[in-house]
Each structure stands twice: as C-alpha cells, then as structure tokens.
C-alpha cells in the first residue's frame, strides 16, 4: 500500500539501530527522505548500506548544543521537516529506588524526556511550514503501568505521555499531529538485557523471568521493531491525518509489567 509519503522529510533520533533503524527503513521504503542521528559511531557507519539515500549525524539528544548541531545538519540535508520521531532513550538502572544513584536518575530523565523536549523545540518551527506535520514520541508500556525496580525509566515514559498530550493540544491549531507510541517488550538485545537484570535482582533464571514477561501479554509474544515502525509510519501518513493526542500501545495487549 502506498502511504503517500514520497519525499516526506523525516528525522529519527537513535535511528541507527533497533526501533529507530526499523522506523527509518520503513520510511525509506515509502520513498521518504530520512535523516537519522545516534550516539553509536559504529552503527552510524552502517547507515549508507542499511538506509540507502539516508543521511546521518552523531548526536546525544540530552546535549542542547549537539541537538542544535543535529538540526542544522538535518535541515541542510532535508531542506525542511515533516515528521520528527523522538525515539532516543536509555533503559536506566535496574535497582530499588533507594539504591539508585542521582546521576543515573538524572541521565535517564535527561535522555528520555529532556531529549524529546529539546528536539521538539527545534522541530516545531519547521513543522509549522509542512502540509503534513507530525511528531511521534516513544513512550513505553512502562508509561501506563508501574514498573518496579525501573523507577527512572517508568517515570520518564509516563512523562512522555503527558508531554505528548499537552503538545497535541498546543499544536493542533497549526495542523501538527502529536502521538506517543507505547511499545511493550520488543524482541531483541535490549529486552534481553532488561530481563537478565531483573532476573538477577529477583534471583531467578533468565528463562523464568522471560516467561513472566510473556505471561503478562494476552498474545503471549514479544512485539517486533517493525511493528512499532509500522504504527509510526501510519500515523505520519495522510491515512493518520486526524489522529492526534493518542498514547498508542503496541504491546500484544500487555496487562501489566509488575
């Protein structure tokens, strides 16, 4: 199906691997012009092979100076912006609240929440000039459920939902759609690391903890990065022209994370 995104100008943060790469790939397949950023230089070096025609920058979204440089570079390559995908985020520590170091709390909030703010702040003036403008903010199932031992991460992802809903109201009159995507457990190395850390905290095996994760979804399976990408592309397309202010779970019908 043609999503109507040919020459659509897209910026994907943390776009060189995982959900970000899958999202960038999905937009490229639709004929969009894509710029990605990442902190991983090795992953960025693979972008020309994995994302033909896409361009890339090194950027830590928690750094305001780096974000300014990213937008200068993206604007030079794309000539404008139609969609911002705020995908950059980190897992943060896995520990009881009283054991979490302040530096780790701040780093999680800085990347997951402040990074989205900094990118939106730079993107909004550009999006006002687009005829089909949207922002997709990556939250998480941890942004609608409690997530014990992951308080910095969960707090940041709940905040993303509030940020999204507030921006949707603020930017709606300008025709800019803003939605949050709430992935569940996404198959891959990152969720394996999360499962391993929680298994060690709980004193159980990796397989036992993995089974606990799957038991909490009605569909009894992990979602894929491509599932997330498909939702983002749909919302950015003319097919999603009147969808804004939503916190959309893509999680196999997760019932809890605890």
């Amino acid at each position: 199906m043609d999503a109507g995104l040919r020459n659509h100008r897209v910026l994907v943060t943390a776009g060189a691997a995982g959900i970000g790469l899958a999202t960038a790939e999905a937009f490229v397949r639709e004929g969009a012009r894509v710029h990605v950023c990442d902190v991983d230089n090795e992953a960025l070096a693979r972008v020309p092979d994995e994302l033909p025609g896409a361009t890339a920058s090194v950027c830590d979204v928690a750094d305001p100076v780096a974000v300014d440089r990213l937008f200068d570079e993206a604007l030079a390559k794309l000539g404008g912006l139609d969609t911002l995908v705020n995908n950059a985020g980190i897992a943060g520590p896995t520990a009881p609240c009283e054991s979490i170091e302040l530096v780790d709390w701040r780093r999680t909030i800085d990347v997951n929440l402040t990074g989205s703010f900094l990118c939106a702040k730079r993107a909004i003036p550009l999006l006002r000039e687009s005829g089909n403008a949207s922002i997709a903010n990556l939250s998480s199932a941890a942004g609608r459920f409690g997530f014990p031992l992951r308080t910095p991460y969960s707090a940041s992802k709940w905040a993303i939902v509030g940020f999204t809903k507030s921006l949707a109201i603020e930017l709606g009159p300008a025709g800019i759609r803003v939605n949050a995507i709430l992935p569940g457990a996404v198959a891959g190395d990152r969720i394996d690391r999360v499962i391993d850390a929680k298994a060690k905290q709980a004193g159980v095996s990796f397989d036992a903890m993995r089974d606990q994760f799957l038991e909490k979804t009605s569909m009894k399976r992990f979602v894929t990065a491509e599932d997330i990408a498909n939702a983002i592309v749909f919302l950015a397309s003319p097919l999603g022209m009147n969808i804004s202010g939503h916190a959309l779970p893509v999680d196999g019908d997760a019932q809890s994370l605890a």
Side-chain angles (χ1 to χ4, degrees):
M1 182 174 65
D2 183 354
L5 290 170
R6 187 161 301 280
N7 292 321
H8 194 78
R9 298 160 298 181
V10 183
L11 172 59
V12 183
T13 66
I19 292 172
L21 176 59
T23 300
E25 287 173 333
F27 275 111
V28 167
R29 284 195 298 272
E30 294 295 334
R33 298 167 58 204
V34 178
H35 190 87
V36 303
C37 75
D38 213 293
V39 293
D40 186 338
N41 284 294
E42 290 185 7
L44 284 171
R46 297 191 293 269
V47 165
D49 293 329
E50 295 179 330
L51 295 171
T55 52
S57 298
V58 178
C59 182
D60 176 354
V61 298
D63 179 352
V65 174
V67 170
D68 282 342
R69 184 169 58 248
L70 164 65
F71 273 83
D72 290 344
E73 293 173 359
L75 186 59
K77 297 294 185 180
L78 300 177
L81 189 66
D82 301 302
T83 291
L84 168 66
V85 182
N86 269 324
N87 171 64
I90 59 173
T94 299
C97 184
E98 68 270 22
S99 300
I100 292 171
E101 298 294 335
L102 180 58
V103 65
D104 295 325
W105 170 275
R106 284 178 169 161
R107 178 61 179 167
T108 307
I109 300 299
D110 284 349
V111 175
N112 295 3
L113 179 59
T114 306
S116 291
F117 159 74
L118 291 172
C119 290
K121 182 177 172 66
R122 280 298 309 263
I124 289 167
L126 303 174
L127 295 174
R128 290 186 187 277
E129 303 301 318
S130 169
N132 176 22
S134 66
I135 299 173
N137 294 320
L138 270 290
S139 178
S140 166
R144 68 187 183 103
F145 300 119
F147 202 8
L149 304 179
R150 298 289 303 286
T151 50
Y153 180 79
S154 186
S156 71
K157 295 303 184 178
W158 277 83
I160 285 292
V161 173
F163 180 59
T164 296
K165 289 184 174 288
S166 300
L167 267 188
I169 298 168
E170 185 176 320
L171 300 178
I176 301 171
R177 310 186 302 282
V178 189
N179 292 287
I181 306 296
L182 282 62
V186 180
D189 291 342
R190 180 170 175 175
I191 193 61
D192 286 347
R193 292 193 296 271
V194 170
I195 292 170
D196 185 59
K198 286 185 72 71
K200 289 174 179 175
Q201 283 284 341
V204 300
S205 70
F206 176 91
D207 288 341
M209 182 58 67
R210 185 178 188 276
D211 289 343
Q212 287 184 35
F213 270 69
L214 290 174
E215 285 170 5
K216 295 177 176 66
T217 66
S218 298
M219 300 184 76
K220 308 303 180 190
R221 63 182 183 231
F222 293 140
V223 298
T224 67
E226 289 71 26
D227 293 329
I228 312 305
N230 290 339
I232 293 170
V233 167
F234 176 82
L235 291 170
S237 79
L239 299 171
M241 189 64 74
N242 287 308
I243 303 174
S244 189
H246 284 273
L248 176 66
V250 182
D251 59 12
D253 189 28
Q255 298 301 310
S256 75
L257 291 174

